Amino acid sequence: MVDIEALRTQPELTGENVLLTQLDETYFETGWEALREPESRRLTGTHTDFTEEQVRTWLAGRPGLADRADYAIVRKEDRVHVGDLALTDVDKDNRSGSFRIALNGPEFFGKGYGTEATKLLLAYAFDVVGLHRVSLEVFDYNPRAQRAYEKAGFVREGLQREALWWDGEWHDVITMAILKNDPRP
Ligand SMILES: CC(C)(COP(=O)(O)OP(=O)(O)OC[C@H]1O[C@@H](n2cnc3c(N)ncnc32)[C@H](O)[C@@H]1OP(=O)(O)O)[C@@H](O)C(=O)NCCC(=O)NCCS
């Protein structure tokens, strides 16, 4: 069974270097900058230009939701907000959900924060919320993300040919997933 209360209350999740805490409007300033950061936009395929008002409203609406969990990734040593991640589209009947993550800019990439945060979120999704399957999509030009996902236990399942139009070219979208009983390195 899916524990809806665990989604609504979103316990803080603590790792060695990062902690995951409820995303809300207090993360507006850093989140707003990250949304305009060109490399993060390219790697997440973000075409939309959000307004400040849209972002504030979206952040303020995160706490208490029953079908998803949105977390801020905070570096433990200095409490810097280094990124966000989310378990979305939770399907109670099939005990499945989707995963997304983005660190706030290149200065945070490649330091292990993404892999650690992903592992924390998966432990929560499987062992606390009670999911059976978590899936994600990643672009063919993002090997760093693919590697981080593999390190957390995601397995490549498929390829959507030319599903993304970015900067004048078509790109393939890779599908990855992890099941509850798959190895979690
Ligand atoms: C994807 C993301 C979350 C990964 O988190 P991270 O903290 O940067 O990644 P980690 O440091 O934990 O791990 C990165 C791994 O990729 C490897 N890597 C880096 N660049 C690589 C490349 N060009 N090719 C192959 N592997 C690469 C690193 O060596 C490391 O693996 P290792 O530990 O085996 O050496 C983060 O980079 C990010 O937010 N990027 C921008 C947004 C984004 O891409 N989001 C995902 C969209 S699907």
Side-chain angles (χ1 to χ4, degrees):
M1 236 184 59
V2 174
D3 186 343
I4 300 300
E5 214 38 43
L7 286 170
R8 277 196 211 284
T9 52
Q10 277 190 231
E12 196 164 277
L13 309 172
T14 307
E16 198 188 331
N17 298 302
V18 297
L19 63 85
L20 308 187
T21 186
Q22 172 73 61
L23 186 67
D24 61 21
E25 69 271 28
T26 60
Y27 295 95
F28 173 76
E29 297 297 338
T30 37
W32 174 247
E33 275 202 20
L35 270 174
R36 291 180 299 167
E37 203 287 307
E39 183 63 355
S40 295
R41 286 179 71 91
R42 184 179 79 88
L43 293 170
T44 52
T46 304
H47 290 293
T48 313
D49 284 315
F50 299 100
T51 66
E52 280 196 38
E53 188 55 31
Q54 280 174 319
V55 175
R56 280 188 198 282
T57 305
W58 187 85
L59 286 170
R62 296 308 87 197
L65 298 177
D67 62 348
R68 57 185 291 151
D70 293 271
Y71 278 105
I73 308 169
V74 174
R75 184 162 58 198
K76 279 169 73 175
E77 63 179 20
D78 53 8
R79 305 291 298 190
V80 166
H81 174 210
V82 301
D84 303 334
L85 85 180
L87 179 66
T88 65
D89 303 311
V90 170
D91 175 336
K92 299 175 192 78
D93 300 314
N94 296 306
R95 281 186 276 147
S96 62
S98 302
F99 175 75
R100 65 166 296 277
I101 181 169
L103 301 183
N104 283 345
E107 67 267 38
F108 302 119
F109 299 170
K111 295 182 161 66
Y113 302 147
T115 303
E116 187 184 338
T118 302
K119 288 180 174 181
L120 286 170
L121 194 279
L122 289 177
Y124 163 73
F126 291 126
D127 306 335
V128 181
V129 179
L131 294 190
H132 176 69
R133 173 185 164 85
V134 177
S135 60
L136 61 80
E137 293 183 348
V138 56
F139 304 136
D140 56 4
Y141 56 75
N142 196 350
R144 188 196 301 111
Q146 290 166 44
R147 175 77 189 123
Y149 297 148
E150 279 168 9
K151 285 197 296 174
F154 280 94
V155 174
R156 180 172 163 150
E157 289 190 335
L159 183 99
Q160 302 167 48
R161 294 175 304 150
E162 301 191 354
L164 176 77
W165 175 253
W166 190 264
D167 219 7
E169 278 181 55
W170 290 110
H171 296 277
D172 297 337
V173 175
I174 295 160
T175 309
M176 301 179 81
I178 177 170
L179 303 181
K180 182 181 172 62
N181 293 324
D182 281 346
R184 269 182 264 156

